[in-house]
Short mmCIF file of all heavy atoms in Angstrom, two decimals:
data_model
loop_
_atom_site.label_atom_id
_atom_site.label_comp_id
_atom_site.label_asym_id
_atom_site.label_seq_id
_atom_site.Cartn_x
_atom_site.Cartn_y
_atom_site.Cartn_z
N ASP G 172 1.17 -5.01 -11.39
CA ASP G 172 0.10 -5.94 -11.68
C ASP G 172 0.01 -7.01 -10.63
O ASP G 172 -1.10 -7.39 -10.17
CB ASP G 172 0.34 -6.67 -13.00
CG ASP G 172 0.49 -5.72 -14.20
OD1 ASP G 172 1.21 -4.73 -14.05
OD2 ASP G 172 -0.08 -5.99 -15.27
N GLU G 173 1.14 -7.52 -10.17
CA GLU G 173 1.19 -8.54 -9.16
C GLU G 173 0.59 -8.09 -7.85
O GLU G 173 -0.14 -8.80 -7.16
CB GLU G 173 2.63 -9.06 -8.97
CG GLU G 173 3.22 -9.74 -10.16
CD GLU G 173 4.68 -10.06 -10.01
OE1 GLU G 173 5.26 -9.64 -8.98
OE2 GLU G 173 5.25 -10.72 -10.89
N GLU G 174 0.90 -6.85 -7.46
CA GLU G 174 0.39 -6.31 -6.22
C GLU G 174 -1.12 -6.11 -6.31
O GLU G 174 -1.87 -6.38 -5.35
CB GLU G 174 1.08 -4.99 -5.89
CG GLU G 174 2.51 -5.16 -5.44
CD GLU G 174 3.26 -3.84 -5.30
OE1 GLU G 174 2.98 -2.90 -6.09
OE2 GLU G 174 4.09 -3.72 -4.40
N VAL G 175 -1.63 -5.65 -7.44
CA VAL G 175 -3.07 -5.51 -7.62
C VAL G 175 -3.76 -6.88 -7.44
O VAL G 175 -4.76 -6.95 -6.72
CB VAL G 175 -3.41 -4.92 -9.00
CG1 VAL G 175 -4.91 -5.03 -9.28
CG2 VAL G 175 -2.96 -3.46 -9.10
N SER G 176 -3.24 -7.92 -8.06
CA SER G 176 -3.82 -9.23 -7.96
C SER G 176 -3.82 -9.73 -6.51
O SER G 176 -4.79 -10.29 -6.01
CB SER G 176 -3.06 -10.22 -8.83
OG SER G 176 -3.17 -9.86 -10.18
N ARG G 177 -2.69 -9.46 -5.79
CA ARG G 177 -2.59 -9.87 -4.39
C ARG G 177 -3.58 -9.12 -3.51
O ARG G 177 -4.20 -9.73 -2.62
CB ARG G 177 -1.17 -9.68 -3.91
CG ARG G 177 -0.85 -10.36 -2.58
CD ARG G 177 0.62 -10.46 -2.32
NE ARG G 177 1.20 -9.20 -1.98
CZ ARG G 177 2.11 -8.55 -2.75
NH1 ARG G 177 2.51 -9.08 -3.89
NH2 ARG G 177 2.65 -7.40 -2.38
N LEU G 178 -3.75 -7.84 -3.73
CA LEU G 178 -4.68 -7.05 -2.95
C LEU G 178 -6.12 -7.48 -3.17
O LEU G 178 -6.93 -7.60 -2.22
CB LEU G 178 -4.54 -5.56 -3.27
CG LEU G 178 -3.28 -4.87 -2.77
CD1 LEU G 178 -3.17 -3.47 -3.38
CD2 LEU G 178 -3.24 -4.79 -1.26
N ILE G 179 -6.47 -7.82 -4.42
CA ILE G 179 -7.81 -8.24 -4.72
C ILE G 179 -8.13 -9.62 -4.13
O ILE G 179 -9.21 -9.91 -3.68
CB ILE G 179 -8.02 -8.25 -6.24
CG1 ILE G 179 -8.02 -6.81 -6.82
CG2 ILE G 179 -9.33 -8.95 -6.61
CD1 ILE G 179 -9.11 -5.94 -6.25
N ASP G 180 -7.08 -10.48 -4.11
CA ASP G 180 -7.28 -11.87 -3.65
C ASP G 180 -7.07 -12.04 -2.14
O ASP G 180 -7.23 -13.13 -1.63
CB ASP G 180 -6.31 -12.81 -4.38
CG ASP G 180 -6.69 -12.92 -5.85
OD1 ASP G 180 -7.84 -12.62 -6.22
OD2 ASP G 180 -5.77 -13.27 -6.66
N ASP G 181 -6.64 -10.96 -1.43
CA ASP G 181 -6.31 -11.11 0.01
C ASP G 181 -7.56 -11.55 0.77
O ASP G 181 -8.60 -10.92 0.67
CB ASP G 181 -5.81 -9.76 0.55
CG ASP G 181 -5.18 -9.93 1.91
OD1 ASP G 181 -5.95 -10.11 2.89
OD2 ASP G 181 -3.92 -9.91 2.01
N PRO G 182 -7.43 -12.63 1.57
CA PRO G 182 -8.61 -13.11 2.29
C PRO G 182 -9.12 -12.18 3.37
O PRO G 182 -10.26 -12.31 3.81
CB PRO G 182 -8.11 -14.42 2.90
CG PRO G 182 -6.60 -14.26 2.98
CD PRO G 182 -6.23 -13.45 1.79
N HIS G 183 -8.26 -11.24 3.80
CA HIS G 183 -8.69 -10.32 4.87
C HIS G 183 -9.31 -9.05 4.29
O HIS G 183 -9.66 -8.14 5.03
CB HIS G 183 -7.47 -9.93 5.71
CG HIS G 183 -6.83 -11.07 6.39
ND1 HIS G 183 -5.67 -11.65 5.91
CD2 HIS G 183 -7.19 -11.77 7.49
CE1 HIS G 183 -5.35 -12.68 6.72
NE2 HIS G 183 -6.26 -12.75 7.66
N MET G 184 -9.50 -9.03 2.99
CA MET G 184 -10.03 -7.84 2.28
C MET G 184 -9.08 -6.69 2.44
O MET G 184 -8.09 -6.75 3.12
CB MET G 184 -11.44 -7.52 2.83
CG MET G 184 -12.46 -8.67 2.66
SD MET G 184 -14.11 -8.25 3.24
CE MET G 184 -14.58 -7.04 2.00
N LEU G 185 -9.41 -5.62 1.77
CA LEU G 185 -8.53 -4.43 1.74
C LEU G 185 -8.49 -3.75 3.11
O LEU G 185 -9.53 -3.46 3.71
CB LEU G 185 -8.99 -3.46 0.67
CG LEU G 185 -8.56 -3.75 -0.76
CD1 LEU G 185 -9.27 -2.78 -1.70
CD2 LEU G 185 -7.06 -3.62 -0.92
N ASN G 186 -7.26 -3.50 3.57
CA ASN G 186 -7.08 -2.69 4.77
C ASN G 186 -5.69 -2.04 4.67
O ASN G 186 -4.88 -2.36 3.80
CB ASN G 186 -7.22 -3.57 6.03
CG ASN G 186 -6.19 -4.65 6.11
OD1 ASN G 186 -5.01 -4.42 6.26
ND2 ASN G 186 -6.65 -5.91 6.01
N SER G 187 -5.43 -1.10 5.58
CA SER G 187 -4.19 -0.37 5.49
C SER G 187 -2.93 -1.24 5.69
O SER G 187 -1.88 -0.95 5.12
CB SER G 187 -4.18 0.76 6.54
OG SER G 187 -4.29 0.23 7.84
N ARG G 188 -3.11 -2.34 6.46
CA ARG G 188 -1.96 -3.22 6.69
C ARG G 188 -1.49 -3.90 5.38
O ARG G 188 -0.30 -3.89 5.07
CB ARG G 188 -2.30 -4.26 7.72
CG ARG G 188 -1.21 -5.27 8.05
CD ARG G 188 -0.09 -4.64 8.82
NE ARG G 188 0.97 -4.11 7.95
CZ ARG G 188 1.86 -3.25 8.35
NH1 ARG G 188 1.86 -2.77 9.56
NH2 ARG G 188 2.77 -2.85 7.53
N VAL G 189 -2.46 -4.48 4.67
CA VAL G 189 -2.07 -5.15 3.42
C VAL G 189 -1.60 -4.18 2.37
O VAL G 189 -0.70 -4.50 1.58
CB VAL G 189 -3.25 -6.01 2.88
CG1 VAL G 189 -3.61 -7.13 3.83
CG2 VAL G 189 -4.46 -5.19 2.54
N LEU G 190 -2.14 -2.96 2.37
CA LEU G 190 -1.67 -1.95 1.46
C LEU G 190 -0.24 -1.51 1.78
O LEU G 190 0.59 -1.40 0.87
CB LEU G 190 -2.59 -0.73 1.52
CG LEU G 190 -2.29 0.37 0.46
CD1 LEU G 190 -2.59 -0.11 -0.95
CD2 LEU G 190 -3.08 1.64 0.77
N MET G 191 0.04 -1.36 3.05
CA MET G 191 1.38 -0.92 3.42
C MET G 191 2.45 -2.03 3.24
O MET G 191 3.65 -1.75 3.31
CB MET G 191 1.38 -0.43 4.89
CG MET G 191 0.56 0.87 5.11
SD MET G 191 1.15 2.25 4.16
CE MET G 191 2.56 2.77 5.17
N ASP G 192 1.98 -3.25 3.07
CA ASP G 192 2.92 -4.36 2.82
C ASP G 192 3.32 -4.44 1.36
O ASP G 192 4.13 -5.29 1.00
CB ASP G 192 2.30 -5.67 3.26
CG ASP G 192 2.35 -5.88 4.79
OD1 ASP G 192 3.15 -5.16 5.40
OD2 ASP G 192 1.56 -6.70 5.30
N THR G 193 2.77 -3.57 0.51
CA THR G 193 3.20 -3.54 -0.90
C THR G 193 4.35 -2.55 -1.02
O THR G 193 4.69 -1.83 -0.09
CB THR G 193 2.04 -3.07 -1.79
OG1 THR G 193 1.72 -1.69 -1.47
CG2 THR G 193 0.81 -3.93 -1.63
N GLY G 194 4.92 -2.44 -2.20
CA GLY G 194 5.95 -1.45 -2.45
C GLY G 194 5.48 -0.06 -2.23
O GLY G 194 6.24 0.87 -1.90
N LEU G 195 4.17 0.16 -2.41
CA LEU G 195 3.58 1.45 -2.19
C LEU G 195 3.75 1.91 -0.73
O LEU G 195 3.94 3.11 -0.45
CB LEU G 195 2.07 1.39 -2.55
CG LEU G 195 1.28 2.68 -2.55
CD1 LEU G 195 1.88 3.69 -3.50
CD2 LEU G 195 -0.17 2.39 -2.93
N GLY G 196 3.73 0.96 0.21
CA GLY G 196 3.91 1.29 1.59
C GLY G 196 5.20 1.97 1.89
O GLY G 196 5.28 2.91 2.70
N GLU G 197 6.29 1.53 1.24
CA GLU G 197 7.61 2.11 1.45
C GLU G 197 7.62 3.58 0.99
O GLU G 197 8.19 4.46 1.65
CB GLU G 197 8.69 1.34 0.68
CG GLU G 197 10.08 1.93 0.84
CD GLU G 197 11.15 1.08 0.11
OE1 GLU G 197 10.86 -0.08 -0.23
OE2 GLU G 197 12.21 1.66 -0.19
N ILE G 198 6.97 3.85 -0.12
CA ILE G 198 6.89 5.24 -0.61
C ILE G 198 6.09 6.10 0.31
O ILE G 198 6.45 7.24 0.59
CB ILE G 198 6.30 5.25 -2.07
CG1 ILE G 198 7.25 4.51 -2.98
CG2 ILE G 198 6.03 6.66 -2.54
CD1 ILE G 198 6.71 4.29 -4.38
N ILE G 199 4.97 5.58 0.82
CA ILE G 199 4.11 6.36 1.74
C ILE G 199 4.87 6.66 3.03
O ILE G 199 4.82 7.79 3.57
CB ILE G 199 2.81 5.57 2.04
CG1 ILE G 199 1.95 5.48 0.78
CG2 ILE G 199 2.04 6.21 3.21
CD1 ILE G 199 0.77 4.53 0.94
N ARG G 200 5.59 5.67 3.59
CA ARG G 200 6.32 5.85 4.84
C ARG G 200 7.47 6.87 4.71
O ARG G 200 7.71 7.65 5.64
CB ARG G 200 6.93 4.53 5.31
CG ARG G 200 5.92 3.52 5.83
CD ARG G 200 6.66 2.31 6.44
NE ARG G 200 5.82 1.14 6.43
CZ ARG G 200 5.83 0.18 5.51
NH1 ARG G 200 6.66 0.25 4.48
NH2 ARG G 200 5.00 -0.83 5.59
N ASN G 201 8.12 6.83 3.60
CA ASN G 201 9.38 7.56 3.48
C ASN G 201 9.31 8.89 2.72
O ASN G 201 10.30 9.53 2.55
CB ASN G 201 10.44 6.68 2.80
CG ASN G 201 10.78 5.46 3.64
OD1 ASN G 201 10.80 5.52 4.85
ND2 ASN G 201 11.05 4.33 2.98
N THR G 202 8.12 9.28 2.30
CA THR G 202 7.95 10.51 1.57
C THR G 202 7.02 11.42 2.34
O THR G 202 5.94 10.98 2.79
CB THR G 202 7.41 10.25 0.15
OG1 THR G 202 8.15 9.21 -0.50
CG2 THR G 202 7.49 11.51 -0.71
N ASP G 203 7.39 12.64 2.43
CA ASP G 203 6.52 13.64 3.11
C ASP G 203 5.13 13.67 2.53
O ASP G 203 4.97 13.73 1.29
CB ASP G 203 7.18 15.04 3.02
CG ASP G 203 6.36 16.11 3.71
OD1 ASP G 203 6.44 16.18 4.93
OD2 ASP G 203 5.64 16.84 2.99
N ARG G 204 4.13 13.59 3.40
CA ARG G 204 2.75 13.50 2.94
C ARG G 204 2.36 14.70 2.11
O ARG G 204 1.66 14.58 1.06
CB ARG G 204 1.79 13.36 4.15
CG ARG G 204 0.33 13.13 3.78
CD ARG G 204 -0.52 12.93 5.02
NE ARG G 204 -1.88 12.56 4.67
CZ ARG G 204 -2.84 13.47 4.32
NH1 ARG G 204 -2.53 14.78 4.33
NH2 ARG G 204 -4.05 13.06 4.00
N GLU G 205 2.74 15.91 2.54
CA GLU G 205 2.40 17.11 1.79
C GLU G 205 3.00 17.06 0.38
O GLU G 205 2.40 17.52 -0.57
CB GLU G 205 2.87 18.35 2.53
CG GLU G 205 2.04 18.68 3.78
CD GLU G 205 2.44 20.02 4.35
OE1 GLU G 205 3.19 20.80 3.70
OE2 GLU G 205 2.02 20.30 5.50
N HIS G 206 4.20 16.51 0.32
CA HIS G 206 4.87 16.39 -1.02
C HIS G 206 4.07 15.43 -1.89
O HIS G 206 3.85 15.73 -3.07
CB HIS G 206 6.30 15.86 -0.82
CG HIS G 206 7.02 15.64 -2.11
ND1 HIS G 206 7.61 16.67 -2.80
CD2 HIS G 206 7.22 14.50 -2.86
CE1 HIS G 206 8.18 16.19 -3.91
NE2 HIS G 206 7.94 14.88 -3.96
N LEU G 207 3.66 14.28 -1.38
CA LEU G 207 2.88 13.33 -2.15
C LEU G 207 1.61 13.93 -2.70
O LEU G 207 1.27 13.75 -3.86
CB LEU G 207 2.55 12.10 -1.30
CG LEU G 207 3.70 11.13 -0.99
CD1 LEU G 207 3.21 10.01 -0.07
CD2 LEU G 207 4.22 10.51 -2.31
N PHE G 208 0.90 14.69 -1.86
CA PHE G 208 -0.37 15.26 -2.28
C PHE G 208 -0.19 16.50 -3.18
O PHE G 208 -1.16 16.95 -3.80
CB PHE G 208 -1.26 15.61 -1.07
CG PHE G 208 -2.00 14.41 -0.56
CD1 PHE G 208 -1.41 13.52 0.30
CD2 PHE G 208 -3.31 14.15 -0.98
CE1 PHE G 208 -2.11 12.41 0.77
CE2 PHE G 208 -4.02 13.03 -0.54
CZ PHE G 208 -3.39 12.16 0.38
#
């Protein structure tokens, strides 16, 4: 919930950098893309 609020309120609007700065970014970086999909 906290990350959703932060993403919505980010003054730079949504972009890959702010998304990758969430806990989700760690999962994206460290998990094989084919596996995720």
Side-chain angles (χ1 to χ4, degrees):
D172 302 44
E173 294 173 355
E174 288 172 325
V175 169
S176 297
R177 193 165 71 245
L178 288 171
I179 292 299
D180 292 339
D181 193 285
H183 299 101
M184 301 182 68
L185 278 171
N186 60 67
S187 60
R188 178 71 270 163
V189 296
L190 185 69
M191 293 300 282
D192 283 342
T193 66
L195 188 58
E197 180 180 340
I198 294 171
I199 293 171
R200 288 187 203 97
N201 296 324
T202 311
D203 180 78
R204 186 176 185 277
E205 288 187 11
H206 177 81
L207 286 175
F208 277 84

